[in-house]
Amino acid sequence: MQAHQSTVDPSEIAKFEAMAAEWWDPNGKFKPLHMLNPCRLDYITNQIAGEFDRDLTQEHPFAGLRVLDIGCGGGLLSEPMARLGAEIVGVDAAERNIPVAQAHAAQSGLDIDYRFTTAEDMAAAGEQFDVVMNMEVVEHVADPLAYLTACQHLLKPGGLQICSTLNRNPKSYVFAIIGAEHVMRWLPKGTHEWNKFITPDELFDLLSQSGMDPVDRQGFVFNPLTWGWRLSDRDLSVNYVTASVKSKEV
């Protein structure tokens, strides 16, 4: 069997391995994700409902959908998606995250398939999903195009990918690096590398090159007065999210 190249960056994985035990502490190192999670879920669930004609007022609107959460961490997105009825597979290249996620899912009474593996390995095994959640991962990989191509292979024809990342501009450096890591100390210094951030146009181009059809993009905007996040059609200057679909004719 021919070996395939991994896009995993060992130095990036080591950062998250060191923080694994803190995933479910809302005031710990992952506080920014806990704060952002409701906004992320709002976007994800609405995109899935629109693409697959699901009624979010139903008890389990995503029943029958197979969803992959890449870079699942401790399961902050996997768990609410499982509660909505989806069949969830959560994968992470940081091995220490998996037992944390498994233990919390068990405590929550949720059946989630957590695995220590990579998108490339799953694609090589021929696994396919209706939805791929690819949240805050692409800025940490060694080869974004190769990684996004693996994600495209993981989707069934007509499948949906939700991909979020950080824009690369002076404002994102001030907010995501200086603000989050040095001033607020929400994240350990060095968690992000600004030169790995990707502009929305660059991400749309990468998604297109990978075989996806980008259909939407919105910004996640933090309001320091309300201390909360909201979606914006116009402000994609720091955090943003995209939706793209795979052709049904593939």
Side-chain angles (χ1 to χ4, degrees):
M1 181 182 295
Q2 184 178 359
H4 57 279
Q5 187 176 2
S6 171
T7 62
V8 169
D9 184 333
S11 65
E12 293 285 342
I13 297 303
K15 296 173 187 175
F16 292 95
E17 289 260 351
M19 297 186 282
E22 296 198 45
W23 273 105
W24 288 97
D25 179 359
N27 295 307
K29 292 188 173 75
F30 294 103
K31 181 177 181 178
L33 280 183
H34 283 271
M35 295 168 62
L36 179 58
N37 225 32
C39 195
R40 294 198 303 174
L41 280 166
D42 183 43
Y43 184 84
I44 292 167
T45 55
N46 278 292
Q47 289 293 322
I48 294 174
E51 191 64 33
F52 295 95
D53 194 24
R54 299 302 176 98
D55 181 356
L56 291 174
T57 64
Q58 299 296 310
E59 186 177 2
H60 298 114
F62 296 159
L65 292 179
R66 191 168 192 237
V67 178
L68 176 63
D69 183 9
I70 303 178
C72 63
L76 299 188
L77 282 175
S78 291
E79 290 200 7
M81 295 299 291
R83 288 190 180 95
L84 291 170
E87 176 193 343
I88 296 289
V89 178
V91 304
D92 207 296
E95 187 172 9
R96 288 178 59 192
N97 287 336
I98 299 305
V100 174
Q102 289 172 330
H104 199 276
Q107 291 168 4
S108 304
L110 296 170
D111 182 15
I112 299 174
D113 181 0
Y114 285 118
R115 308 179 196 176
F116 165 50
T117 187
T118 65
E120 291 84 2
D121 283 342
M122 294 193 75
E127 297 235 28
Q128 288 206 309
F129 298 84
D130 298 290
V131 180
V132 168
M133 297 191 300
N134 181 4
M135 311 298 284
E136 290 88 46
V137 176
V138 70
E139 73 270 22
H140 296 288
V141 302
D143 184 338
L145 179 56
Y147 168 69
L148 290 171
T149 301
C151 293
Q152 186 268 137
H153 290 316
L154 285 163
L155 279 168
K156 299 175 184 177
L160 172 71
Q161 179 177 197
I162 308 293
C163 180
S164 66
T165 189
L166 287 148
N167 202 341
R168 188 183 67 257
N169 55 36
K171 183 177 178 180
S172 69
Y173 184 84
V174 170
F175 280 81
I177 305 292
I178 297 175
E181 297 183 12
H182 294 261
V183 179
M184 302 304 296
R185 297 186 180 177
W186 280 340
L187 295 167
K189 293 176 183 177
T191 298
H192 288 110
E193 295 180 35
W194 181 80
N195 61 351
K196 286 189 170 184
F197 291 0
I198 301 170
T199 70
D201 286 347
E202 288 170 347
L203 184 56
F204 261 35
D205 185 53
L206 287 166
L207 287 165
S208 296
Q209 289 183 58
S210 75
M212 299 296 295
D213 178 20
V215 293
D216 187 64
R217 59 187 182 186
Q218 292 190 44
F220 293 133
V221 180
F222 181 69
N223 186 331
L225 297 178
T226 61
W227 212 245
W229 293 83
R230 64 175 175 84
L231 289 164
S232 171
D233 292 328
R234 293 190 298 257
D235 187 353
L236 284 72
S237 58
V238 184
N239 299 75
Y240 69 97
V241 62
T242 66
S244 56
V245 295
K246 182 172 178 175
S247 171
K248 293 181 180 180
E249 300 174 1
V250 173

